[in-house]
Amino acid sequence: MSVAVAARTALAACASVSVVYGRGEAQVAALRDVNLQIARGDHLALLGRSGSGKTTLLHVLGGLLLPTSGTVSWKAEPLSTLDAAARGRARAQGIAYVFQGSNLFPNLTTWENVAFAARAALRPDADGLGPDQLLALVGLLAKADSLPAELSGGESQRVAVARALAQRPELLLCDEPTGHLDTDTGARVLDMIEALRQELDFALVIATHDPDVAARAERAVALSGGRLSEE
Ligand SMILES: Nc1ncnc2c1ncn2[C@@H]1O[C@H](COP(=O)(O)OP(=O)(O)OP(=O)(O)O)[C@@H](O)[C@H]1O
Ligand SMILES: [Mg+2]
C-alpha cells in the first residue's frame, strides 16, 4: 500500500449511528443517523451547542457506549462484534480521552495519575515516554508530586492530556478540553495539544461549542439535535 493511501485509512468510523437514551416518554434521541470517518492524521473539530450530542458521539467513537443502531468501526472492524474485553483492548491500545472536566484521580499525585494510565495501556514499552517525559512535555514536571486539588484548571487539563498520551494513542478524543478555562489559558492548552500532535502523530478530535476553537482544526463537523453536518 502506498504511503498516501495508508495515510487516509479510516481509524474510526460511524455508519448510520443512532443513540437513544432512556425508555418510553423519557426517550432522548442523542444521535440520529450519524456518518463520520476519522482518518490517520486528522484534526477534526466537533461543534455543537450544549445537549447536541457531542459527548455521546465521542463515547460511541471510543467504544465506551454501543449505539442503539448503526455501526462503529475501529480500523475497519465493527466494535459491536467484539466482546467487552476485546473492545477494552482496542480502547486501551488505540484510543485515549481527555474528558469534559479533567477527571483526574483525586487521591493520586500528578505523576501517579500519568503512571497509572501508562500501566493501564498495556504498553509498558511506549517508546520510552514515561511519566517524567510526559510531564515535561506538558510543562508540569515541577508539579509531579502535587495532588489534583493543588492544581489550577489549566494545569489539571495539561495533566489530563499527559495522562491520555501515556497510552500513546492513535486517536485522541478531547471533550471540551478548554471549556472551563479562560481564553488565554484555553489557547495555551490547545497550542500544546496541537504541538504534541505534530510530535507524536495521533489523530485528534476536539468537541467544542466554541467556533474559535473549531476554527483551529483542519476540518469541522457540527451536531445539531443529534444530526451531523459538514461545516
Ligand atoms: N445517560 C444519559 N441518559 C439520558 N439522557 C442523556 C444521557 N446522556 C446524555 N443524555 C441526553 O442526550 C443528549 C445529548 O447529550 P450529550 O451529553 O451528548 O450532549 P453534549 O453536546 O455533549 O452537551 P454539553 O455541551 O452540554 O456537554 C442531551 O439531550 C442529554 O440530555
Ligand atoms: Mg458534553
Side-chain angles (χ1 to χ4, degrees):
M1 196 186 289
S2 76
V3 172
V5 171
R8 300 310 299 168
T9 304
L11 270 182
C14 293
S16 303
V17 161
S18 296
V19 170
V20 178
Y21 290 115
R23 289 167 195 278
E25 302 223 328
Q27 273 195 358
V28 178
L31 294 178
R32 300 167 194 255
D33 199 22
V34 167
N35 294 293
L36 179 65
Q37 297 228 349
I38 296 157
R40 285 183 193 284
D42 258 358
H43 178 188
L44 176 75
L46 178 58
L47 255 173
R49 304 165 60 144
S50 180
S52 60
K54 302 182 297 297
T55 296
T56 303
L57 181 51
L58 291 188
H59 285 186
V60 156
L61 274 170
L64 290 177
L65 174 70
L66 287 176
T68 311
S69 61
T71 307
V72 180
S73 307
W74 172 245
K75 295 183 177 172
E77 195 164 13
L79 283 176
S80 57
T81 62
L82 304 178
D83 63 20
R87 263 202 312 279
R89 271 196 302 280
R91 229 171 24 236
Q93 294 176 353
I95 306 170
Y97 285 91
V98 175
F99 289 99
Q100 199 165 5
S102 52
N103 274 17
L104 298 176
F105 302 115
N107 300 319
L108 300 184
T109 65
T110 294
W111 192 93
E112 288 165 343
N113 263 280
V114 177
F116 181 87
R119 275 201 303 279
L122 320 169
R123 285 187 164 188
D125 56 330
D127 299 354
L129 276 182
D132 290 319
Q133 286 89 343
L134 286 160
L135 287 175
L137 279 176
V138 301
L140 279 178
L141 201 47
K143 302 270 182 178
D145 296 328
S146 300
L147 288 167
E150 298 164 335
L151 301 174
S152 73
E155 288 167 349
S156 299
Q157 279 310 62
R158 281 149 65 197
V159 177
V161 170
R163 187 177 64 173
L165 295 179
Q167 282 179 242
R168 293 305 314 268
E170 293 167 272
L171 173 61
L172 180 65
L173 303 170
C174 296
D175 199 351
E176 309 240 20
T178 61
H180 301 298
L181 306 178
D182 65 72
T183 310
D184 287 349
T185 309
R188 278 205 296 279
V189 168
L190 291 171
D191 287 344
M192 185 199 76
I193 294 173
E194 288 163 14
L196 291 169
R197 173 176 163 261
Q198 297 296 333
E199 193 168 330
L200 302 177
D201 192 28
F202 48 84
L204 176 61
V205 178
I206 296 207
T208 180
H209 60 268
D210 183 345
D212 290 337
V213 172
R216 302 171 62 119
E218 287 162 4
R219 180 162 74 105
V221 292
L223 274 169
S224 174
R227 289 198 186 278
L228 192 76
S229 56
E230 294 281 334
E231 278 291 278

